[in-house]
Amino acid sequence: MKATLLSALLLLSPTLAFARENPESTTHRDQRMSWWREARFGMFVHWGLYSGLGGDWNGKKVSDRGGLEWIQQMVGADTYSYASQAVPKFTPKPGFAAEWASVAKQAGCKYVVFTTKHHEGFALHDSSVTNYDAGDLLQRDLVREITDALRKEGLRVGFYHSVIDWHHPQYDFTRSRQLPYPKHGREIAVTPRDHRRYVDFLHHEVDELVSNYGTVDVIWWDYSAQDFQGDQAWRAGELMDKVRGKQPQVIMNNRLFRIPEAGFSGMGTNAVTARMDPKYGDFVTPEQHIPDTGLGDADWETCMTMNTSWGFNRHDSKWKASQTLIRNLIDIASKGGNYLLNIGPTGDGSVPPESVERMAAIGNWMKTNGESIYGTTASPIGKPGFDGRITRRGDSHYLHVFARPDGGTLRVKLPGSKATLIADGSSLELTREGEEALVRLPETLPDADATVIRLD
Ligand code: H79
């Protein structure tokens, strides 16, 4: 009897520990989220077998536009022909991770989120539950190499992990019409799959990632569909609770779900809303766009590419100007969000020079103006009456000026009696007209990308 009662209790206790049944207090959540809210700027890295292909299949260009981490889907390749072309081209050079860490650090990023596995299914760590991993194919643990290098630079570590899997033989792609699968619709004879076995595998692989690499600061799940999501698709609540059991401080996004309560209004990458119950995740994830007026009180992060592809595509030359990227970061900070800016290293792990150059330009701007971004909160007023943006730190406001207004005087409805040019610490003439502060700008703005003035 006693034994039965005891085992019944033991069986029950993990269920009772589930966060969903014991909601976290706001104070605890605020404490857990605080580094992330202050960070404002992170680097995303997409790197996997697709990186070696770099936009080519059978030696021919597939596309000069985005999404080449989807190349297996684009060419409709099964996992074996995909691997036979891609694996020989995935040749990580020694020390590649230190290069990434240095790029991120010098750009002013506070955290780096990298792909531990993308939709293709290839795992960058040394997994005991698959041979389709760096451990077996390269005799290396790339997740360890990357996490070690990031920590050496004092950067927080985030794992992107795709729950879609184009390799695992039991991943049942037939259960969703909305999630991608390379052979979907092309292959008629489908052998029955036991999706439960895939989900066991997924949980096991994630357990390795949260058990063997020290503190994981972020888990960036990708992604679910309206017709396949949450507990039904991934045993999502249980998966999140298991992760939290090992990593109590971890911050996770909402992409194990695709329902209105989890911050989604549809399937599109811009179908995001501020309505999110924290049990579905910690932050909302607009992809490739910046919400017009932010997302209310929700924590959010815009992820974005520098050209149009996440995974390396040698044919994609549609690079955004450094100025655009700097202004995006400012725009996002002014709306209370984070910017997760992507690089797509090549098959040997090298960061494309166009990305290095842009990250350096952002870093250069941040070195002078970082205090107007880190640890700031959203602007108290909507779009300002000048060409620029506003961020806030307590009673101080930062005016980010993109273009000098005609006449050279900035008008803004904010308190303050002192205006300082961040670039050199000089004071600017300030007069008040009731609720408005009038700030006299220099003849030419010292920074063409964004000149920052602190109003105290
Ligand atoms: O990992 C990156 C994308 O591969 C992944 N999320 C980011 C962070 C993602 N998966 N699905 N989607 C994004 C939404 C679908 C985007 C698409 Fe396309 C646009 C599918 C077809 C056009 C991007 C471009 C993927 C293929 C081409």
Side-chain angles (χ1 to χ4, degrees):
M1 268 300 266
K2 255 185 192 161
T4 327
L5 190 63
L6 187 66
S7 46
L9 278 172
L10 282 173
L11 275 172
L12 261 169
S13 58
T15 327
L16 293 174
F18 282 179
R20 321 171 94 201
E21 279 142 51
N22 277 322
E24 187 184 26
S25 72
T26 314
T27 323
H28 190 263
R29 180 177 150 80
D30 286 345
Q31 176 261 320
R32 192 167 52 79
M33 294 299 291
S34 72
W35 76 262
W36 189 90
R37 289 174 182 160
E38 282 170 23
R40 286 288 172 253
F41 185 32
M43 184 170 90
F44 213 170
V45 188
H46 275 71
W47 195 53
L49 298 183
Y50 47 83
S51 308
L53 295 171
D56 288 340
W57 183 251
N58 289 334
K60 287 197 212 80
K61 173 169 96 178
V62 171
S63 165
D64 45 24
R65 295 302 291 277
L68 268 293
E69 69 286 355
W70 282 44
I71 191 167
Q72 186 188 345
Q73 154 100 10
M74 289 170 173
V75 301
D78 64 70
T79 192
Y80 302 101
S81 52
Y82 177 69
S84 66
Q85 281 200 33
V87 171
K89 295 189 162 70
F90 188 63
T91 53
K93 64 181 180 184
F96 74 91
E99 215 173 285
W100 299 5
S102 154
V103 167
K105 184 72 182 183
Q106 285 177 22
C109 296
K110 299 291 188 189
Y111 61 110
V112 174
V113 179
F114 66 95
T115 49
T116 52
K117 180 190 91 168
H118 205 268
H119 309 340
E120 64 179 9
F122 177 76
L124 261 57
H125 69 298
D126 181 6
S127 173
S128 67
V129 286
T130 180
N131 298 328
Y132 202 49
D133 65 341
D136 281 282
L137 297 183
L138 302 170
Q139 287 72 53
R140 281 167 79 174
D141 187 329
L142 300 170
V143 169
R144 188 165 316 284
E145 292 183 33
I146 298 164
T147 51
D148 285 352
L150 297 180
R151 292 205 187 98
K152 225 177 248 173
E153 291 282 10
L155 293 156
R156 299 261 184 175
V157 174
F159 290 171
Y160 166 107
H161 199 78
S162 175
V163 291
I164 295 167
D165 197 307
W166 298 338
H167 176 79
H168 196 279
Q170 302 303 328
Y171 173 84
D172 192 0
F173 62 92
T174 66
R175 292 181 62 178
S176 170
R177 296 166 58 86
Q178 294 171 320
L179 292 178
Y181 192 82
K183 284 287 181 194
H184 211 174
R186 305 182 205 222
E187 196 181 51
I188 296 147
V190 180
T191 48
R193 292 175 171 223
D194 183 356
H195 192 73
R196 283 171 309 181
R197 284 173 58 195
Y198 168 68
V199 175
D200 287 341
F201 159 83
L202 167 68
H203 283 219
H204 196 120
E205 201 169 53
V206 168
D207 183 65
E208 293 175 340
L209 290 167
V210 297
S211 303
N212 302 335
Y213 301 90
T215 303
V216 181
D217 299 295
V218 172
I219 295 193
W220 215 101
W221 306 109
D222 208 18
Y223 72 88
S224 301
Q226 289 160 309
D227 70 358
F228 204 49
Q229 61 92 40
D231 292 344
Q232 179 217 1
W234 328 112
R235 301 207 315 263
E238 184 193 328
L239 182 58
M240 288 174 79
D241 287 339
K242 282 177 174 168
V243 168
R244 290 207 178 103
K246 297 263 169 92
Q247 302 280 345
Q249 295 296 314
V250 75
I251 293 172
M252 289 185 271
N253 77 0
N254 61 346
R255 289 197 180 190
L256 290 176
F257 303 89
R258 180 78 70 165
I259 48 175
E261 305 88 282
F264 294 97
S265 57
M267 272 309 289
T269 48
N270 54 3
V272 296
T273 71
R275 180 183 157 206
M276 186 182 60
D277 185 320
K279 77 177 175 197
Y280 300 112
D282 297 310
F283 64 98
V284 193
T285 53
E287 180 167 325
Q288 298 285 38
H289 77 105
I290 303 171
D292 259 351
T293 54
L295 284 169
D297 289 334
D299 289 293
W300 60 277
E301 173 190 74
T302 283
C303 58
M304 197 182 277
T305 52
M306 285 192 205
N307 53 6
T308 73
S309 187
W310 300 97
F312 176 61
N313 179 7
R314 61 173 60 81
H315 308 292
D316 182 352
S317 55
K318 279 199 72 157
W319 294 94
K320 296 174 182 83
S322 296
Q323 180 174 90
T324 305
L325 300 173
I326 291 167
R327 290 182 177 185
N328 282 347
L329 174 58
I330 296 165
D331 186 25
I332 289 167
S334 82
K335 296 167 180 170
N338 281 10
Y339 198 23
L340 188 64
L341 187 57
N342 183 70
I343 61 165
T346 62
D348 75 359
S350 302
V351 185
E354 294 88 346
S355 299
V356 173
E357 182 198 315
R358 281 160 181 76
M359 282 300 204
I362 300 171
N364 195 36
W365 185 87
M366 288 289 269
K367 212 173 278 163
T368 308
N369 301 292
E371 69 159 280
S372 72
I373 302 290
Y374 301 126
T376 61
T377 52
S379 168
I381 51 184
K383 284 234 169 85
F386 57 88
D387 185 4
R389 293 288 184 272
I390 299 168
T391 56
R392 174 181 190 171
R393 182 197 307 283
D395 292 335
S396 299
H397 293 90
Y398 295 95
L399 315 178
H400 297 83
V401 187
F402 298 162
R404 192 172 185 273
D406 288 340
T409 299
L410 275 188
R411 277 177 171 272
V412 61
K413 223 185 213 171
L414 284 174
S417 54
K418 187 173 177 325
T420 311
L421 197 62
I422 297 293
D424 60 7
S426 65
S427 288
L428 298 178
E429 188 190 315
L430 183 150
T431 51
R432 294 207 62 92
E433 275 181 16
E435 294 196 314
E436 282 192 324
L438 276 60
V439 179
R440 186 78 204 140
L441 294 172
E443 283 311 310
T444 49
L445 295 178
D447 194 315
D449 297 325
T451 293
V452 186
I453 294 146
R454 190 180 63 238
L455 199 58
D456 296 302

PDB file of all heavy atoms in Angstrom, residues 287-306:
ATOM      1  N   GLU A 287       8.730  38.499 -37.557  1.00  0.00           N
ATOM      2  CA  GLU A 287       9.861  38.075 -38.399  1.00  0.00           C
ATOM      3  C   GLU A 287       9.944  38.957 -39.633  1.00  0.00           C
ATOM      4  O   GLU A 287       8.969  39.104 -40.354  1.00  0.00           O
ATOM      5  CB  GLU A 287       9.646  36.599 -38.787  1.00  0.00           C
ATOM      6  CG  GLU A 287      10.743  36.017 -39.663  1.00  0.00           C
ATOM      7  CD  GLU A 287      10.670  34.487 -39.780  1.00  0.00           C
ATOM      8  OE1 GLU A 287      10.299  33.811 -38.801  1.00  0.00           O
ATOM      9  OE2 GLU A 287      10.986  33.973 -40.874  1.00  0.00           O
ATOM     10  N   GLN A 288      11.092  39.542 -39.862  1.00  0.00           N
ATOM     11  CA  GLN A 288      11.382  40.380 -41.032  1.00  0.00           C
ATOM     12  C   GLN A 288      10.560  41.670 -41.073  1.00  0.00           C
ATOM     13  O   GLN A 288      10.433  42.288 -42.127  1.00  0.00           O
ATOM     14  CB  GLN A 288      11.154  39.603 -42.352  1.00  0.00           C
ATOM     15  CG  GLN A 288      12.037  38.386 -42.556  1.00  0.00           C
ATOM     16  CD  GLN A 288      13.472  38.718 -42.928  1.00  0.00           C
ATOM     17  OE1 GLN A 288      14.021  39.684 -42.407  1.00  0.00           O
ATOM     18  NE2 GLN A 288      14.075  37.921 -43.795  1.00  0.00           N
ATOM     19  N   HIS A 289       9.958  42.058 -39.949  1.00  0.00           N
ATOM     20  CA  HIS A 289       9.266  43.348 -39.957  1.00  0.00           C
ATOM     21  C   HIS A 289       9.207  43.937 -38.548  1.00  0.00           C
ATOM     22  O   HIS A 289       9.351  43.220 -37.557  1.00  0.00           O
ATOM     23  CB  HIS A 289       7.866  43.227 -40.548  1.00  0.00           C
ATOM     24  CG  HIS A 289       6.885  42.623 -39.608  1.00  0.00           C
ATOM     25  ND1 HIS A 289       5.928  43.366 -38.956  1.00  0.00           N
ATOM     26  CD2 HIS A 289       6.742  41.364 -39.172  1.00  0.00           C
ATOM     27  CE1 HIS A 289       5.240  42.572 -38.169  1.00  0.00           C
ATOM     28  NE2 HIS A 289       5.710  41.355 -38.285  1.00  0.00           N
ATOM     29  N   ILE A 290       8.990  45.225 -38.482  1.00  0.00           N
ATOM     30  CA  ILE A 290       8.921  45.940 -37.204  1.00  0.00           C
ATOM     31  C   ILE A 290       7.486  46.422 -37.020  1.00  0.00           C
ATOM     32  O   ILE A 290       6.969  47.135 -37.874  1.00  0.00           O
ATOM     33  CB  ILE A 290       9.893  47.142 -37.213  1.00  0.00           C
ATOM     34  CG1 ILE A 290      11.326  46.661 -37.507  1.00  0.00           C
ATOM     35  CG2 ILE A 290       9.819  47.904 -35.891  1.00  0.00           C
ATOM     36  CD1 ILE A 290      12.323  47.787 -37.761  1.00  0.00           C
ATOM     37  N   PRO A 291       6.835  45.993 -35.934  1.00  0.00           N
ATOM     38  CA  PRO A 291       5.441  46.417 -35.737  1.00  0.00           C
ATOM     39  C   PRO A 291       5.330  47.949 -35.695  1.00  0.00           C
ATOM     40  O   PRO A 291       6.160  48.605 -35.069  1.00  0.00           O
ATOM     41  CB  PRO A 291       5.064  45.807 -34.383  1.00  0.00           C
ATOM     42  CG  PRO A 291       6.089  44.741 -34.112  1.00  0.00           C
ATOM     43  CD  PRO A 291       7.323  45.134 -34.839  1.00  0.00           C
ATOM     44  N   ASP A 292       4.312  48.480 -36.348  1.00  0.00           N
ATOM     45  CA  ASP A 292       4.143  49.931 -36.502  1.00  0.00           C
ATOM     46  C   ASP A 292       4.238  50.718 -35.210  1.00  0.00           C
ATOM     47  O   ASP A 292       4.900  51.740 -35.147  1.00  0.00           O
ATOM     48  CB  ASP A 292       2.777  50.217 -37.138  1.00  0.00           C
ATOM     49  CG  ASP A 292       2.942  50.512 -38.614  1.00  0.00           C
ATOM     50  OD1 ASP A 292       4.107  50.653 -39.042  1.00  0.00           O
ATOM     51  OD2 ASP A 292       1.922  50.588 -39.321  1.00  0.00           O
ATOM     52  N   THR A 293       3.532  50.232 -34.180  1.00  0.00           N
ATOM     53  CA  THR A 293       3.521  50.986 -32.927  1.00  0.00           C
ATOM     54  C   THR A 293       3.940  50.090 -31.763  1.00  0.00           C
ATOM     55  O   THR A 293       3.489  50.267 -30.639  1.00  0.00           O
ATOM     56  CB  THR A 293       2.113  51.567 -32.649  1.00  0.00           C
ATOM     57  OG1 THR A 293       1.165  50.484 -32.701  1.00  0.00           O
ATOM     58  CG2 THR A 293       1.729  52.590 -33.687  1.00  0.00           C
ATOM     59  N   GLY A 294       4.792  49.115 -32.043  1.00  0.00           N
ATOM     60  CA  GLY A 294       5.225  48.205 -30.988  1.00  0.00           C
ATOM     61  C   GLY A 294       4.159  47.168 -30.689  1.00  0.00           C
ATOM     62  O   GLY A 294       3.219  46.979 -31.464  1.00  0.00           O
ATOM     63  N   LEU A 295       4.269  46.514 -29.541  1.00  0.00           N
ATOM     64  CA  LEU A 295       3.304  45.465 -29.196  1.00  0.00           C
ATOM     65  C   LEU A 295       2.847  45.607 -27.739  1.00  0.00           C
ATOM     66  O   LEU A 295       2.838  44.643 -26.970  1.00  0.00           O
ATOM     67  CB  LEU A 295       3.906  44.080 -29.446  1.00  0.00           C
ATOM     68  CG  LEU A 295       3.970  43.651 -30.922  1.00  0.00           C
ATOM     69  CD1 LEU A 295       4.815  42.400 -31.097  1.00  0.00           C
ATOM     70  CD2 LEU A 295       2.579  43.412 -31.506  1.00  0.00           C
ATOM     71  N   GLY A 296       2.474  46.843 -27.400  1.00  0.00           N
ATOM     72  CA  GLY A 296       1.918  47.091 -26.076  1.00  0.00           C
ATOM     73  C   GLY A 296       2.857  46.656 -24.972  1.00  0.00           C
ATOM     74  O   GLY A 296       4.056  46.943 -25.016  1.00  0.00           O
ATOM     75  N   ASP A 297       2.322  45.914 -24.015  1.00  0.00           N
ATOM     76  CA  ASP A 297       3.123  45.485 -22.867  1.00  0.00           C
ATOM     77  C   ASP A 297       3.843  44.168 -23.116  1.00  0.00           C
ATOM     78  O   ASP A 297       4.609  43.710 -22.264  1.00  0.00           O
ATOM     79  CB  ASP A 297       2.232  45.329 -21.628  1.00  0.00           C
ATOM     80  CG  ASP A 297       1.775  46.692 -21.108  1.00  0.00           C
ATOM     81  OD1 ASP A 297       2.497  47.675 -21.367  1.00  0.00           O
ATOM     82  OD2 ASP A 297       0.710  46.751 -20.476  1.00  0.00           O
ATOM     83  N   ALA A 298       3.583  43.550 -24.247  1.00  0.00           N
ATOM     84  CA  ALA A 298       4.217  42.255 -24.508  1.00  0.00           C
ATOM     85  C   ALA A 298       5.711  42.446 -24.750  1.00  0.00           C
ATOM     86  O   ALA A 298       6.144  43.449 -25.299  1.00  0.00           O
ATOM     87  CB  ALA A 298       3.579  41.594 -25.730  1.00  0.00           C
ATOM     88  N   ASP A 299       6.515  41.466 -24.314  1.00  0.00           N
ATOM     89  CA  ASP A 299       7.928  41.454 -24.683  1.00  0.00           C
ATOM     90  C   ASP A 299       7.999  40.951 -26.117  1.00  0.00           C
ATOM     91  O   ASP A 299       7.340  39.969 -26.470  1.00  0.00           O
ATOM     92  CB  ASP A 299       8.702  40.515 -23.751  1.00  0.00           C
ATOM     93  CG  ASP A 299       8.818  41.086 -22.344  1.00  0.00           C
ATOM     94  OD1 ASP A 299       9.504  42.105 -22.191  1.00  0.00           O
ATOM     95  OD2 ASP A 299       8.201  40.526 -21.415  1.00  0.00           O
ATOM     96  N   TRP A 300       8.796  41.624 -26.939  1.00  0.00           N
ATOM     97  CA  TRP A 300       8.879  41.181 -28.334  1.00  0.00           C
ATOM     98  C   TRP A 300      10.266  41.419 -28.900  1.00  0.00           C
ATOM     99  O   TRP A 300      11.046  42.215 -28.376  1.00  0.00           O
ATOM    100  CB  TRP A 300       7.820  41.879 -29.197  1.00  0.00           C
ATOM    101  CG  TRP A 300       7.902  43.385 -29.255  1.00  0.00           C
ATOM    102  CD1 TRP A 300       7.401  44.265 -28.340  1.00  0.00           C
ATOM    103  CD2 TRP A 300       8.521  44.184 -30.274  1.00  0.00           C
ATOM    104  NE1 TRP A 300       7.672  45.563 -28.730  1.00  0.00           N
ATOM    105  CE2 TRP A 300       8.355  45.534 -29.918  1.00  0.00           C
ATOM    106  CE3 TRP A 300       9.196  43.886 -31.474  1.00  0.00           C
ATOM    107  CZ2 TRP A 300       8.840  46.596 -30.698  1.00  0.00           C
ATOM    108  CZ3 TRP A 300       9.677  44.940 -32.249  1.00  0.00           C
ATOM    109  CH2 TRP A 300       9.481  46.275 -31.858  1.00  0.00           C
ATOM    110  N   GLU A 301      10.530  40.684 -29.969  1.00  0.00           N
ATOM    111  CA  GLU A 301      11.838  40.737 -30.614  1.00  0.00           C
ATOM    112  C   GLU A 301      11.618  40.572 -32.111  1.00  0.00           C
ATOM    113  O   GLU A 301      11.022  39.575 -32.536  1.00  0.00           O
ATOM    114  CB  GLU A 301      12.707  39.592 -30.086  1.00  0.00           C
ATOM    115  CG  GLU A 301      14.035  39.410 -30.786  1.00  0.00           C
ATOM    116  CD  GLU A 301      14.710  38.107 -30.366  1.00  0.00           C
ATOM    117  OE1 GLU A 301      14.246  37.034 -30.807  1.00  0.00           O
ATOM    118  OE2 GLU A 301      15.663  38.151 -29.585  1.00  0.00           O
ATOM    119  N   THR A 302      12.087  41.543 -32.882  1.00  0.00           N
ATOM    120  CA  THR A 302      12.050  41.410 -34.339  1.00  0.00           C
ATOM    121  C   THR A 302      13.322  40.714 -34.788  1.00  0.00           C
ATOM    122  O   THR A 302      14.427  41.172 -34.484  1.00  0.00           O
ATOM    123  CB  THR A 302      11.954  42.795 -35.023  1.00  0.00           C
ATOM    124  OG1 THR A 302      10.607  43.280 -34.925  1.00  0.00           O
ATOM    125  CG2 THR A 302      12.331  42.705 -36.499  1.00  0.00           C
ATOM    126  N   CYS A 303      13.171  39.600 -35.514  1.00  0.00           N
ATOM    127  CA  CYS A 303      14.351  38.984 -36.124  1.00  0.00           C
ATOM    128  C   CYS A 303      14.358  39.371 -37.596  1.00  0.00           C
ATOM    129  O   CYS A 303      13.311  39.499 -38.222  1.00  0.00           O
ATOM    130  CB  CYS A 303      14.338  37.466 -35.937  1.00  0.00           C
ATOM    131  SG  CYS A 303      12.899  36.612 -36.597  1.00  0.00           S
ATOM    132  N   MET A 304      15.564  39.580 -38.124  1.00  0.00           N
ATOM    133  CA  MET A 304      15.663  40.113 -39.490  1.00  0.00           C
ATOM    134  C   MET A 304      16.972  39.708 -40.147  1.00  0.00           C
ATOM    135  O   MET A 304      17.996  39.565 -39.475  1.00  0.00           O
ATOM    136  CB  MET A 304      15.578  41.640 -39.423  1.00  0.00           C
ATOM    137  CG  MET A 304      15.253  42.303 -40.739  1.00  0.00           C
ATOM    138  SD  MET A 304      15.227  44.103 -40.586  1.00  0.00           S
ATOM    139  CE  MET A 304      13.580  44.405 -39.943  1.00  0.00           C
ATOM    140  N   THR A 305      16.917  39.546 -41.454  1.00  0.00           N
ATOM    141  CA  THR A 305      18.125  39.261 -42.230  1.00  0.00           C
ATOM    142  C   THR A 305      18.759  40.568 -42.705  1.00  0.00           C
ATOM    143  O   THR A 305      18.083  41.581 -42.821  1.00  0.00           O
ATOM    144  CB  THR A 305      17.769  38.405 -43.464  1.00  0.00           C
ATOM    145  OG1 THR A 305      16.703  39.052 -44.180  1.00  0.00           O
ATOM    146  CG2 THR A 305      17.315  37.018 -43.051  1.00  0.00           C
ATOM    147  N   MET A 306      20.061  40.503 -43.041  1.00  0.00           N
ATOM    148  CA  MET A 306      20.750  41.684 -43.581  1.00  0.00           C
ATOM    149  C   MET A 306      20.613  41.775 -45.096  1.00  0.00           C
ATOM    150  O   MET A 306      20.634  42.855 -45.663  1.00  0.00           O
ATOM    151  CB  MET A 306      22.240  41.627 -43.264  1.00  0.00           C
ATOM    152  CG  MET A 306      22.560  41.950 -41.845  1.00  0.00           C
ATOM    153  SD  MET A 306      24.330  42.174 -41.734  1.00  0.00           S
ATOM    154  CE  MET A 306      24.530  41.797 -40.029  1.00  0.00           C
TER     155      MET A 306
END
